[in-house]
Each structure stands twice: as C-alpha cells, then as structure tokens.
Amino acid sequence: AQSVAQPEDQVNVAEGNPLTVKCTYSVSGNPYLFWYVQYPNRGLQFLLKYITGDNLVKGSYGFEAEFNKSQTSFHLKKPSALVSDSALYFCAVRDMRDSSASKIIFGSGTRLSIRP
Amino acid sequence: DGGITQSPKYLFRKEGQNVTLSCEQNLNHDAMYWYRQDPGQGLRLIYYSQIVNDFQKGDIAEGYSVSREKKESFPLTVTSAQKNPTAFYLCASSSYPGVSNYGYTFGSGTRLTVV
C-alpha cells in the first residue's frame, strides 16, 4: 500500500530551539518525497523534496529533511525555530499505484506552534 | 507572474444548489488536480486531469463533477448530491510527467460553506 503517516497532530517548540516534524512512508519502489507548508486560508507551498542523492535535503526558509531508508522516514527539521514557522506542515509521497505516477499522496498534516 | 488562481475565495451554497469553483493556471502545466481539505483529515483527491478533455476520479469523487476543455482551466462543480460539501477546496497543477521533480503548485483555495 502507498501511504504516508505523520504521527503528531501538533508539535510545540520554543523559539530558538530546534524542531522536528516526523513523517514515515510506505511505497513500492524508490520513494519520491516532499514537504509542504500551509499558512491559514492559503494553499500549500513547496518546501523541499527528496528524489535521489544526499540523504540530507535542504529547502526553503532554513528547513531541511533527512531521508532514512531503513526507517522509511523523512523527518523535517530546523536548527532554530522562529515564531513565523508556525503553520500546518504536510509530508507527501509520489503515488506509484498507477503507471503515470502523476499523483501525490499527502499525510494528515502536523500543526507546528512556535511560542516566543 | 505565473501561478494558479482560484475563485471565489469564499462561497456560500444553499441546500440543493450546484456551485462551480474556478481554477485557472498560466504555468503551461499539463496536469491539474482538485483536493478537499477537512480539519484533521489532510488532503483528499477529488478529481485529476493529465491532459485536455480527459479526467479521472480520485478517492472522493461522488457528488462532484469536472471538465477540462482548456489546458488552463479545470473547474469543479459541487452538486446537490454532495451531502457534506462544507470544506476548503484546493486546486493544484504540475508538469507531466515532471511531478516527480517539481511536485505540485497550489492555488490559494476556496472555502465553501453550506447555509
């Protein structure tokens, strides 16, 4: 089955502290993984992706994600959180169930709250 | 600027009415998608289209209809058969088959409320 799981509905972090938003996946074949961010009443914005290569991927706004094949995880990280990072974060994986592979499956989202 | 435009931003529907949500893109993307977002449920795929004059049902297509007469446009109609239409609707597009490299570009969404 193709799926992506975000085990935490909410993550609370103090400003300046490191943050981690967790994501695990289940796909057939090589995973193509994405992170998106959503601010209130807005569409999703692309943060970063993993296709192949270096397991540590750097993206927008100082975020990075680490691909771990043995643990089937793709956790989102940032060394020092900002209040402006508060938003809803979605992990996603390319759906390989159809030959076109043109669809992406999204996790349920994790709300990140950064307190001053 | 290239992007996806969804309109209207807010839409109110009376019981038994059909309403149409607009989605237009000028990115020259081949594929377009409609998602529904409910609190705590993430994004669920309603319909998608990979080329003009062709579209496929997603996971929750019942009560919805779409058309793809032009590459730039992918309107979604929420019919009276959709029993619980109150939600946030997101349109997205991607280059095809480039979705693997670039993911989706999203519109800013339409919030539909039944009154």
Side-chain angles (χ1 to χ4, degrees), chain A residues 4-24:
Chain A
V4 58
Q6 295 180 243
E8 303 155 317
D9 291 336
Q10 176 131 0
V11 171
N12 299 308
V13 177
E15 188 174 27
N17 283 359
L19 69 88
T20 299
V21 182
K22 295 180 180 177
C23 172
T24 59

Side-chain angles (χ1 to χ4, degrees), chain A residues 20-84:
Chain A
T20 299
V21 182
K22 295 180 180 177
C23 172
T24 59
Y25 64 90
S26 174
V27 297
S28 56
N30 294 323
Y32 285 28
L33 297 155
F34 305 86
W35 274 102
Y36 288 84
V37 60
Q38 184 182 32
Y39 298 98
N41 293 310
R42 300 300 302 273
L44 278 66
Q45 298 176 31
F46 172 83
L47 273 181
L48 51 79
K49 68 178 187 291
Y50 172 83
I51 306 295
T52 61
D54 195 345
N55 289 344
L56 185 64
V57 179
K58 295 188 182 297
S60 306
Y61 312 120
F63 283 94
E64 57 189 27
E66 186 169 11
F67 171 66
N68 188 315
K69 188 173 183 178
S70 62
Q71 297 185 6
T72 62
S73 67
F74 190 54
H75 301 331
L76 182 70
K77 301 180 179 183
K78 187 172 182 180
S80 178
L82 300 172
V83 173
S84 57

